[in-house]
């Protein structure tokens, strides 16, 4: 492709063979209505089904419009998005999921805001079609991110349908830390941000890739990967426990003096119980500290966040434009 597109749509794909044909059809139809030229980057995140084959076919069926990027294995959603952003050439970037819960017909709303001069365009899902658990988990993540983010914040960080300007994307790509949360990272570089209301649909086919444990891991990574607040709380808790221990020791000494030696003797098992609680808190704190040390280790190794095995790109015919 010789013409540089104005809009790049980045879509991470993982085991979405049931949704891909409809996704490609609707994305192309929606983007054809945009006044800007575009490209759609489908990033296969090491799928185990036929997703890679379908992406390759989509590149052939839509030359000049679809770009396929095949990662060597499963690196995770945000790593796949980062891989797509690194290959995107547009002035305006849109990210979205492949499960069709984010209708492609809503893309134009984000593009319009980016053209107006906004650096980050978030989206708020209307009438969410998720389970009760997913809604609660999403609210928890949003609350945590808003507490950890300084300055501008968003209402809904869980929706992948988001827009970014080229300067913000360049800043994100310059950040090489492992396990980065792109929406939160983008907000730290944005001068102007805005949110738009978008429709939300039920998953067209297949199952969600975020299990209970993956959602818990996401929140844990957010907490330890973006803030030192837990370490500060651990320090505060350590001082508090030490103070309580001193007060408790003084109280036992006073009560023993007032009531005799026999009073303190019968509190042996209570003392052991309290000791076990303190030891448990100490080990929990060591585990949290170890998590931070582990992240330092991962970043110090400098391993790539993703590895692109193959990039699929078909030249468009000379008599065919991107519009």
């Amino acid at each position: 492709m010789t013409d540089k597109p104005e809009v790049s749509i980045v879509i991470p794909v993982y085991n979405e063979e049931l949704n891909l044909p409809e996704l490609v059809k609707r994305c192309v139809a929606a983007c054809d209505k945009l006044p800007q030229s575009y490209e759609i980057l489908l990033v296969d995140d090491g799928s185990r089904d036929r997703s890679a084959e379908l992406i390759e076919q989509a590149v052939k069926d839509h030359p000049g419009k679809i770009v396929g990027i095949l990662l060597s294995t499963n690196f995770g959603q945000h790593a796949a998005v980062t891989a797509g952003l690194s290959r995107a050439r547009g002035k305006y970037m849109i990210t979205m999921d492949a499960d069709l819960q984010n209708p492609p017909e809503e893309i134009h709303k984000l593009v319009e805001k980016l053209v107006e001069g906004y650096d980050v365009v978030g989206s708020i899902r209307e009438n969410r079609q998720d389970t009760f658990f997913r809604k609660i988990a999403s609210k928890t993540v949003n609350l945590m991110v808003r507490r950890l983010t300084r300055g501008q914040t968003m209402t809904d960080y869980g929706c992948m349908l988001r827009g970014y300007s080229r300067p913000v994307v360049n800043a994100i790509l310059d950040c090489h830390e492992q396990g980065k949360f792109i929406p939160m990272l983008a907000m730290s570089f944005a001068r102007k941000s805005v949110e738009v209301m978008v429709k939300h649909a039920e998953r067209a086919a297949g199952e969600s890739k975020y299990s209970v444990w993956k959602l818990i891991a996401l929140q844990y990574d957010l907490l330890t990967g973006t803030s030192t607040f837990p370490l500060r709380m651990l320090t505060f808790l350590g001082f508090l426990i030490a103070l309580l221990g001193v007060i408790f020791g003084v109280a036992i000494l006073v009560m023993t003096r007032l009531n005799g030696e026999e009073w303190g003797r019968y509190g042996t098992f209570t003392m052991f119980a309290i000791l076990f609680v303190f030891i448990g808190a100490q080990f929990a704190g060591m585990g949290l500290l170890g998590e931070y040390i582990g992240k330092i280790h991962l970043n110090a190794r400098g391993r790539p966040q993703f590895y692109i095995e193959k990039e699929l790109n078909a030249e468009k015919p000379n008599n065919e434009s991107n519009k």
Side-chain angles (χ1 to χ4, degrees):
M1 293 168 59
T2 57
D3 296 336
K4 190 173 183 179
E6 295 179 76
V7 179
S8 295
I9 316 296
V10 177
I11 307 176
V13 177
Y14 181 64
N15 294 341
E16 294 287 358
E17 64 175 344
L18 299 178
N19 291 320
L20 267 173
E22 182 69 14
L23 173 69
V24 171
K25 177 182 177 182
R26 290 173 60 182
C27 278
V28 171
C31 291
D32 278 342
K33 298 178 181 178
L34 294 174
Q36 298 86 7
S37 58
Y38 70 90
E39 64 177 353
I40 301 173
L41 296 95
L42 300 175
V43 185
D44 180 67
D45 190 21
S47 297
R48 299 178 181 177
D49 59 5
R50 296 180 57 251
S51 294
E53 299 175 25
L54 294 176
I55 290 175
E56 186 170 359
Q57 186 60 48
V59 172
K60 295 178 181 178
D61 293 341
H62 304 278
K65 296 181 179 180
I66 304 289
V67 177
I69 298 175
L70 309 183
L71 303 187
S72 59
T73 187
N74 180 241
F75 290 94
Q77 184 185 48
H78 290 278
V81 171
T82 304
L85 293 176
S86 70
R87 290 296 188 271
R89 300 176 298 148
K91 180 179 180 181
Y92 310 113
M93 310 286 187
I94 304 294
T95 62
M96 62 179 292
D97 283 326
D99 56 12
L100 290 173
Q101 286 195 282
N102 304 141
E105 294 76 17
E106 301 290 273
I107 291 176
H108 72 94
K109 295 181 180 179
L110 285 77
V111 174
E112 290 169 1
K113 291 297 181 181
L114 288 172
V115 172
E116 290 178 14
Y118 289 97
D119 296 307
V120 174
V121 182
S123 57
I124 303 175
R125 292 167 281 190
E126 294 182 308
N127 300 319
R128 287 191 60 178
Q129 303 298 313
D130 284 327
T131 62
F132 176 76
F133 168 75
R134 287 298 301 273
K135 292 179 181 178
I136 293 298
S138 179
K139 288 183 179 180
T140 303
V141 171
N142 287 327
L143 178 61
M144 181 183 299
V145 174
R146 284 196 295 269
R147 291 294 179 89
L148 295 176
T149 303
R150 296 179 179 178
Q152 304 178 85
T153 59
M154 288 281 184
T155 303
D156 189 356
Y157 282 91
C159 186
M160 182 58 72
L161 183 57
R162 309 178 71 82
Y164 306 104
S165 66
R166 167 56 69 178
V168 168
V169 170
N170 290 340
I172 292 173
L173 295 176
D174 284 338
C175 298
H176 302 292
E177 70 263 26
Q178 299 285 331
K180 57 189 175 188
F181 186 58
I182 293 177
M184 182 177 178
L185 190 60
M187 288 300 295
S188 64
F189 299 115
R191 179 184 296 270
K192 293 177 61 180
S193 62
V194 69
E195 290 181 288
V196 296
M197 303 297 295
V198 297
K199 296 178 182 179
H200 193 249
E202 294 183 1
R203 169 175 268 274
E207 299 179 352
S208 173
K209 306 307 182 294
Y210 273 102
S211 62
V212 176
W213 293 112
K214 284 188 176 180
L215 287 171
I216 293 175
L218 173 62
Q219 295 187 47
Y220 198 65
D221 284 340
L222 279 176
L223 187 62
T224 59
T226 59
S227 173
T228 58
F229 176 74
L231 289 177
R232 294 177 181 176
M233 286 299 297
L234 182 62
T235 303
F236 173 77
L237 182 62
F239 279 114
L240 180 62
I241 291 176
L243 179 61
L244 290 175
V246 172
I247 294 175
F248 189 65
V250 172
I252 291 177
L253 177 63
V254 171
M255 294 301 294
T256 301
R257 294 298 183 186
L258 293 177
N259 301 312
E261 297 293 335
E262 293 295 327
W263 184 90
R265 184 180 304 171
Y266 297 106
T268 303
F269 293 108
T270 302
M271 288 292 294
F272 272 111
I274 295 173
L275 178 63
F276 290 152
V277 171
F278 288 168
I279 291 176
Q282 183 180 25
F283 275 105
M286 290 173 61
L288 185 62
L289 185 61
E291 180 72 16
Y292 279 96
I293 295 174
K295 289 184 181 297
I296 295 173
H297 173 63
L298 290 175
N299 287 310
R301 288 190 303 182
R303 293 185 180 181
Q305 300 173 55
F306 56 86
Y307 178 73
I308 297 177
E309 182 177 312
K310 184 187 297 185
E311 183 170 345
L312 307 172
N313 198 342
E315 289 289 344
K316 59 187 176 181
N318 293 331
N319 60 351
E320 180 184 344
S321 66
N322 204 9
K323 295 302 302 163

